[in-house]
């Protein structure tokens, strides 16, 4: 088998390269954001007032771990949580 011609390998490499390019661009712009944090912020900007479960669904992320993403965004001062009445 030759991994270089397999779709799964090529997709994984594309993801690795894309992640590196994103991280480099964020660093050069002076932002401390991962691609998941960026996607979460985009979902929040697109749907103001969205809840965590909605953010997770919108960015196809696990509901069990989106809380940590939002925690880090809050610690960095990018988002503010409000308890839903």
């Amino acid at each position: 088998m030759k991994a270089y011609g397999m779709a799964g390998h090529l997709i994984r490499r594309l993801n690795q390269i894309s992640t590196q390019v994103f991280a480099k661009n964020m660093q050069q712009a002076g932002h401390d954001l991962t691609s998941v944090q960026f996607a979460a912020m985009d979902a929040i900007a697109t749907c103001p007032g969205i809840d965590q479960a909605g953010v997770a669904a919108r960015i196809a992320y696990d509901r069990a771990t989106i809380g940590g993403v939002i925690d880090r965004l809050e610690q960095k001062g990018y988002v503010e949580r409000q308890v839903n009445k």
Side-chain angles (χ1 to χ4, degrees), residues 3-36:
Y4 296 110
M6 298 175 76
H9 172 74
L10 295 173
I11 291 167
R12 184 182 63 80
R13 288 294 298 138
L14 177 61
N15 181 59
Q16 288 174 324
I17 293 165
S18 174
T19 299
Q20 289 173 344
V21 169
F22 179 86
K24 181 180 175 185
N25 288 339
M26 286 292 107
Q27 184 180 31
Q28 288 176 345
H31 301 295
D32 180 23
L33 289 172
T34 66
S35 59
V36 172

Side-chain angles (χ1 to χ4, degrees), residues 42-53:
D42 184 60
I44 294 166
T46 302
C47 302
I50 191 171
D51 63 8
Q52 284 184 194

